[in-house]
Amino acid sequence: MSRVPVRRRVPLRLAAAAAATCALTVTAVAPGAAAEYSRPYTETYRPQFHFSPAKNWMNDPNGLVWFKGEYHLFYQYNPNGDTWGDMSWGHAVSKDLVHWEELPLALPHDDEEMVFSGSAVVDHGNTTGFGTAENPAMVAVYTSHFKDGGKQAQSLAYSTDRGRTWTKYSGNPVLDIGSTEFRDPKVQWYAPTRSWLMTVSLSTEHKVRFYSSEDLKSWTHLSDFGPQNAVGGVWECPDLFPLPVDGDPERVKWVLVVNLNPGGIAGGSAAQYFVGDFDGKRFEPDDDGSYTPPAGLVVQDFEETDYGTWRTTGTAFGDGPVPAPEPGTSGTSGVEGKGLADSFHTGDHETGTLTSPPFTVTSPYLNFKVGGGRHPYVPGSVRGDSPAPPGEVLADFEQDGYGSWTATGTAFGDGPASGTLPGQHEVSGHEGGGLVNTFLGGDATTGTLTSPEFTITRKHLNLLVGGGRHPSGSEAPTAVRLVVDGRTVRSATGTDSEELNWVSWDLGGLAGRTAHIEVVDENTGGWGHILLDQVMLSDTPARPRSTETTVNLLVDGKVVDSATGADSGNLDWVSFDLRAHQGKQAVIELVDLNRAGWGHIMADHFVAADQPAVPALRRAHWVDHGKDYYAAVSWEHAPDGKRHMIGWMNNWQYGNDIPTSPWRGAQSIPREMALRTVNGRIRLTQRPVSTVESLHGPSVGVRDVRIAEGSAPLAAGRADGKALDIRATFTLDEAERFGFKVRTGDGEETVIGYDRKTQELYVDRTRSGAVDFHGDFPGVQRAPLTPRNGKVALRVLVDWSSVEVFGGDGEAVITDQIFPSPDSDGVRLFAEGGSARLDSARVWQLRPYRG
C-alpha cells in the first residue's frame, strides 16, 4: 500500500515512511542464502500458524499465484530493517496454504526504484516471449516507485525457474501515465477476450482503472470505476474476481475489492468491496452508492457569502464560507451545495472558532458533514496558552550547551536547538528560544540525553513534549523517561507532531527518591525524533493545551458530543444523538486549535432531523471489520477453482510500532471466499482454508452449557491455550452480551462477544496485554451479525499475537492483533446482563506450521 495523501499542504518527512504500497526489484539471489531464515518459533508474540518472515519488516501480500504445485506468496519486505523502507519483494511458498517455506529475497530495491505492490501470473501462452510453451514464465507485474521524483509506473520481471530467480524486463516501465499515485496492479487472464486484464489504483483520485493487453507489455485503457462509498483515504491494492452466488455456476457476480487507508471501518487501514457485473471493459456495481439523508430542518448550510448569525474568533475561518471546488480539482469532496466552512483559510497555521447562536433542542438528531484533520476533543484540555504551574525548573534549555546534562550519539548536537531545524516543519509550543530537538540532520540521527540526578520533592513533574510517537517500550523509541533506581517509572512521547504540549507525571509514592531524566531517540524512520522543553517539578499538574479540530455540541456550556475529521479532504455524514438533551439550550461550535499537519476542520449542512444520517463508512461493504486486515488480494490459477484471499495483519496507524522482534508484520490466515445471500442481500463471506485442520492437535468439546452472569473457565480449563481453533454455537437467552474471553491471565483478556441488542459481533482488546505502544491500538471493533433461528455461530482462530473471528456463515469477520503475556493462555465463557446458553463448542490446540 502507499502513503496517505496530504491535502493542500507539504507532505511530512514521513512521506517515505508512509504506508508504502509495494516495491519490487529484480536480481537473482543464490538459493543457498535461505539458510539465514531458519527460526525457532519461540519468540514472544511469534505467530505459530500465520506466515511471518524470520526477521525484518513485512507488509502487503503480492504476486499471489499457484504454479507447479506451489502457492506463491510474495510480499512487501524491507531486507534492511524492521520498519517500512527499502521496499522489495520477499517470497514464501506452500503446498497447502498453511505450511510455509520462506525463500530468499525475490525482487530487491535498487538505486533507481523501490518495488511496490503488484501481482504475478503464469504466461502459459508465452505471450511475452519470456518463456516457452514447455516452460512458461512466471511474470511479476509490479509498481516501480522511482526514487528520483517519486513517480509510480508499472513494470515487469520474469522467472523461468519457479520464481527462484528473476530478471527485470529491459523495456520497463510498460505502463507510465506520469503519476506519483498510480500503483498496485492486479493482473489476470480474461478468457472471453483472450487477453490480460489489469486492475490498478489511481490512489488519491479514489478510482480503479482497467487496462487490457495481449502481451503484458502494451496496455490499452478500458474504463475507470469510482469514487464511491468509502473515500476517506487513498485507494490501494485492488482485486477483481468472479464468484458464483450461493454456489450456482449459472449465477455469477464479480467482486471488486478496494483497500483503503486511512478511513477504514475500525479506523486506519481496511478492505472494502463492491459486488456487480464486469463485461470485459467496465465494472458496474449493483449498488450505485447514492444516498439521501433524512429530511429535516436546515440549521446552517453555508450557502451565503457570510456566516450570518454564526460568530468567529481568530483567523482560521475567515469572513465567510469557502466556495465548493469543482469535482476533481482539489482534495476536497463531499460538499453539499455551493459552500462549506473550512478553517484552512490560508494554511494549517491559523486557529479559531465558529459558533452558532444558542438554540433549543427539539429534534432527536443533528446531522452534518465533517472532514479535515483527525484531532479529537480531549476533556480537560485548555484552549490557548496553558502556562506551567509554579515550581522548580530543572531545565529550560535556554543556554548555549546542555550544561550538566550528558549527550551521546549524533541526534542532540552540542546544545539545544533554537527552534525549527533545516528540513523540518515549523516547531511550535516551546517556551523561550531553546529546546531539545533531535531532528538534527534529519530523522536518521540517534542518541541519548541524560540529566544529572535530582531528588523528587514535588507531587508532579511537568514537561513540554513533541515529535514522534514511538513509546519507551518499543524497539526504537523517541521518548522521555523518568528513571529511579535504574528502572523507568514514567515515560512520555510525542504525537507525531512538531507542536510541543504539556505532559504531567504524577510522582505519588516517589517522594524523596533520587531520579534522573533520559531523553532517548533510537528511531531512524518517519517521525524518528523527539522534542523537549521546560522540565519542572511542581505540586500542581500542568494541563495540556487543546489541539483539536472538531465540531462540538455544547449543552449548558459543556461539550456533550464531538466529531473530528479523518485526516481526509472528504466530508462525510455524522449524527449527534440529541434525545437526552430535549428542551435544553445548545450551541454548535467548530474549533480549530491545531497548527500542525491536517490542522484544520471542514463542516457543512447542519440539519435537525428525526433520524440519524448514515456515513459512507457504514454504508460501505467491508471484507473485515477488524483493525488488522489490509491489502487483501487473492490467488490466481488455484487448482481447485476456489478463490483464496489473504491480507496483511496490521494497520498503518501503528504498524511500525507493534512490539515484535526481530520481525514486524504477519499475514492473515488464507481464506476461502464466497458470495452468499444473507438477509436478502448478496454478501461476500469467508472461512479459513480447510487445510488449517492439518494443524489440529488434541481437542476438547462441551455441550449444553448454561453460562451464568459473569465468567467461568471453558471445559474447566482443559481448553486453555495460546494457539487454538474454536467452533461454537450459542442460543440467544436473557444475556445482553455473551461469548468467550481468550488469552486470559493476570489482568489480561481479549473479549470475543455478541451484543444481543445491537446484533453485533465484537472484539474488545483494551486489556489484551501490551496496548499502550500507540494510542490507536486499544479499542473495540464491531461487525453486524444477524442471528439465525435464535442462534449465533462463531469460529475463532487464536494465535500468539492475533485473533480472527468468523461469525455466522462468514459474513461477519473481525481480525485483530493482540500482544498478551506468554503466561496468559486461559479461555473463559462469559455472560453480561443475564445468563446465556452455549449449545456446543469444540476447541482444538493448533500446532505451528514450522516454516
Side-chain angles (χ1 to χ4, degrees):
M1 84 168 241
S2 289
R3 185 125 198 101
V4 181
V6 178
R7 174 182 175 266
R8 298 180 299 180
R9 63 183 180 90
V10 178
L12 300 173
R13 291 167 315 287
L14 292 129
T21 298
C22 310
L24 161 6
T25 297
V26 196
T27 48
V29 182
E36 68 173 289
Y37 291 99
S38 60
R39 59 184 182 174
Y41 275 80
T42 59
E43 306 97 324
T44 303
Y45 310 134
R46 167 64 69 187
Q48 298 294 287
F49 59 94
H50 293 83
F51 177 75
S52 58
K55 64 179 182 178
N56 295 337
W57 168 270
M58 174 180 71
N59 57 288
D60 306 356
N62 298 156
L64 306 184
V65 67
W66 184 88
F67 185 48
K68 293 187 176 180
E70 294 178 321
Y71 290 94
H72 290 263
L73 167 63
F74 300 92
Y75 48 88
Q76 287 291 279
Y77 185 66
N78 180 359
N80 300 317
D82 63 359
T83 55
W84 185 90
D86 292 340
M87 295 320 299
S88 308
W89 274 23
H91 191 194
V93 293
S94 172
K95 296 184 183 301
D96 61 0
L97 292 172
V98 172
H99 296 83
W100 291 98
E101 176 189 0
E102 185 174 358
L103 297 178
L105 188 67
L107 295 161
H109 73 101
D110 59 29
D111 292 340
E112 294 183 358
E113 68 176 12
M114 287 195 288
V115 183
F116 277 13
S117 293
S119 53
V121 296
V122 179
D123 187 12
H124 289 287
N126 198 27
T127 63
T128 58
F130 293 155
T132 65
E134 296 75 22
N135 185 28
M138 184 186 296
V139 182
V141 189
Y142 66 93
T143 296
S144 292
H145 175 82
F146 292 102
K147 296 179 179 180
D148 184 7
K151 185 176 69 173
Q152 297 176 1
Q154 315 321 315
S155 295
L156 305 179
Y158 62 92
S159 170
T160 56
D161 59 358
R162 298 182 301 126
R164 270 54 177 182
T165 60
W166 290 84
T167 301
K168 186 183 298 184
Y169 175 49
S170 60
N172 283 340
V174 296
L175 181 56
D176 181 1
I177 63 172
S179 172
T180 59
E181 301 286 349
F182 178 52
R183 56 182 172 267
D184 310 342
K186 176 62 186 290
V187 174
Q188 61 191 286
W189 181 253
Y190 187 68
T193 59
R194 297 190 58 79
S195 61
W196 298 103
L197 171 67
M198 178 191 290
T199 306
V200 65
S201 177
L202 298 171
S203 296
T204 55
E205 296 179 43
H206 306 116
K207 291 182 179 180
V208 170
R209 177 164 287 182
F210 302 103
Y211 288 91
S212 179
S213 174
E214 294 183 354
D215 59 3
L216 295 176
K217 300 173 183 176
S218 299
W219 294 90
T220 300
H221 176 217
L222 299 175
S223 66
D224 292 351
F225 168 77
Q228 189 168 314
N229 289 2
V231 292
V234 292
W235 278 18
E236 298 185 313
C237 300
D239 195 4
L240 179 72
F241 51 85
L243 285 174
V245 179
D246 297 324
D248 183 357
E250 301 300 317
R251 188 185 176 203
V252 173
K253 286 285 187 179
W254 286 76
V255 179
L256 176 62
V257 175
V258 180
N259 291 271
L260 174 81
N261 177 69
I265 184 64
S269 314
Q272 66 175 322
Y273 72 92
F274 305 84
V275 177
D277 297 307
F278 182 72
D279 63 2
K281 293 184 177 180
R282 187 176 301 277
F283 176 79
E284 294 289 347
D286 292 345
D287 179 357
D288 65 6
S290 60
Y291 175 68
T292 302
L297 175 66
V298 177
V299 176
Q300 172 64 275
D301 57 8
F302 301 111
E303 296 298 281
E304 304 301 326
T305 57
D306 59 27
Y307 290 121
T309 56
W310 290 47
R311 295 291 177 258
T312 64
T313 67
T315 59
F317 291 93
D319 297 326
V322 174
E326 292 295 323
T329 60
S330 77
T332 301
S333 60
V335 180
E336 299 285 320
K338 299 182 297 182
L340 74 154
D342 187 348
S343 68
F344 194 87
H345 186 57
T346 62
D348 277 333
H349 61 281
E350 293 188 289
T351 61
T353 65
L354 175 61
T355 307
S356 76
F359 62 94
T360 302
V361 177
T362 58
S363 298
Y365 298 95
L366 178 68
N367 300 328
F368 59 97
K369 300 192 97 172
V370 67
R374 181 174 174 261
H375 305 287
Y377 165 75
V378 177
S381 58
V382 177
R383 293 188 181 180
D385 186 34
S386 176
E392 176 188 354
V393 177
L394 298 181
D396 60 9
F397 304 108
E398 294 300 301
Q399 67 279 7
D400 291 336
Y402 287 119
S404 55
W405 290 54
T406 303
T408 68
T410 57
F412 293 87
D414 297 328
S418 59
T420 306
L421 292 172
Q424 186 175 27
H425 280 258
E426 182 181 358
V427 173
S428 62
H430 55 293
E431 305 239 335
L435 76 156
V436 173
N437 183 349
T438 69
F439 193 76
L440 182 64
D443 280 331
T445 54
T446 60
T448 64
L449 180 66
T450 305
S451 78
E453 290 190 336
F454 61 92
T455 301
I456 296 176
T457 58
R458 302 291 184 95
K459 296 178 180 179
H460 298 274
L461 184 67
N462 300 322
L463 54 160
L464 286 167
V465 182
R469 179 162 51 186
H470 306 287
S472 179
S474 63
E475 185 174 351
T478 54
V480 184
R481 300 166 173 165
L482 179 67
V483 180
V484 176
D485 295 334
R487 185 171 63 92
T488 298
V489 295
R490 305 286 188 274
S491 66
T493 186
T495 59
D496 290 352
S497 170
E498 305 293 22
E499 184 171 6
L500 289 83
N501 208 340
W502 285 110
V503 171
S504 184
W505 290 332
D506 186 338
L507 303 181
L510 298 174
R513 305 285 291 276
T514 299
H516 69 268
I517 294 168
E518 291 179 354
V519 189
V520 182
D521 177 357
E522 297 179 3
N523 198 293
T524 60
W527 285 106
H529 62 278
I530 186 76
L531 311 174
L532 174 68
D533 195 16
Q534 207 69 15
V535 182
M536 300 180 64
L537 285 169
S538 177
D539 288 327
T540 305
R543 297 175 64 186
R545 308 180 184 110
S546 172
T547 57
E548 64 192 284
T549 55
T550 55
V551 178
N552 297 331
L553 177 70
L554 284 75
V555 175
D556 296 331
K558 297 181 179 179
V559 176
V560 298
D561 212 340
S562 181
T564 188
D567 289 348
S568 170
N570 178 65
L571 287 86
D572 199 5
W573 287 105
V574 170
S575 186
F576 285 163
D577 188 339
L578 306 180
R579 289 174 294 178
H581 310 296
Q582 294 297 298
K584 297 180 180 180
Q585 290 289 107
V587 297
I588 303 164
E589 185 180 51
L590 280 63
V591 184
D592 176 359
L593 297 177
N594 198 292
R595 296 180 175 88
W598 285 105
H600 58 275
I601 186 73
M602 302 184 294
D604 193 17
H605 212 69
F606 289 83
V607 179
D610 292 333
Q611 297 294 326
V614 182
L617 203 64
R618 301 198 68 84
R619 302 195 307 271
H621 304 302
W622 300 96
V623 181
D624 193 299
H625 283 73
K627 290 282 284 190
D628 296 308
Y629 189 75
Y630 190 64
V633 288
S634 62
W635 269 273
E636 295 297 325
H637 307 303
D640 56 8
K642 295 179 179 179
R643 181 63 55 168
H644 302 299
M645 178 169 279
I646 195 170
W648 177 48
M649 204 157 54
N650 211 337
N651 192 306
W652 281 114
Q653 287 181 329
Y654 45 73
N656 282 282
D657 300 312
I658 59 171
T660 63
S661 179
W663 83 100
R664 187 171 277 121
Q667 302 294 341
S668 74
I669 202 72
R671 303 166 183 187
E672 180 184 338
M673 314 303 289
L675 286 177
R676 294 186 173 89
T677 304
V678 180
N679 299 327
R681 296 168 48 208
I682 299 175
R683 299 280 299 278
L684 186 65
T685 65
Q686 51 199 305
R687 62 183 60 174
V689 289
S690 60
T691 45
V692 169
E693 296 176 5
S694 67
L695 303 176
H696 279 178
S699 71
V700 60
V702 296
R703 301 185 65 85
D704 197 21
V705 177
R706 180 181 177 274
I707 311 168
E709 186 165 7
S711 72
L714 175 63
R718 291 178 292 121
D720 292 354
K722 298 190 295 183
L724 305 170
D725 185 351
I726 304 172
R727 305 185 197 190
T729 302
F730 295 85
T731 292
L732 297 184
D733 202 349
E734 60 185 23
E736 296 176 4
R737 290 168 295 278
F738 57 85
F740 294 103
K741 295 182 178 181
V742 301
R743 299 302 307 273
T744 65
D746 186 15
E748 296 182 350
E749 62 182 18
T750 298
V751 182
I752 298 166
Y754 185 77
D755 189 316
R756 183 165 59 93
K757 181 179 180 181
T758 62
Q759 294 195 340
E760 290 177 317
L761 177 69
Y762 67 91
V763 172
D764 181 345
R765 66 177 182 188
T766 56
R767 297 177 299 281
S768 295
V771 299
D772 61 351
F773 57 86
H774 196 283
D776 288 317
F777 186 82
V780 181
Q781 283 66 250
R782 298 176 177 271
L785 178 61
T786 303
R788 295 184 186 175
N789 301 318
K791 297 182 183 295
V792 173
L794 298 180
R795 172 93 179 267
V796 183
L797 296 181
V798 181
D799 206 343
W800 283 19
S801 56
S802 65
V803 292
E804 291 169 285
V805 185
F806 302 81
D809 198 16
E811 67 268 25
V813 184
I814 298 175
T815 300
D816 277 348
Q817 294 181 96
I818 57 173
F819 301 104
S821 165
D823 297 329
S824 296
D825 63 356
V827 178
R828 302 176 70 87
L829 293 167
F830 80 93
E832 297 176 0
S835 64
R837 181 159 297 279
L838 174 67
D839 293 349
S840 64
R842 181 158 292 277
V843 181
W844 287 267
Q845 303 289 328
L846 288 178
R847 298 184 294 264
Y849 73 79
R850 298 298 183 193

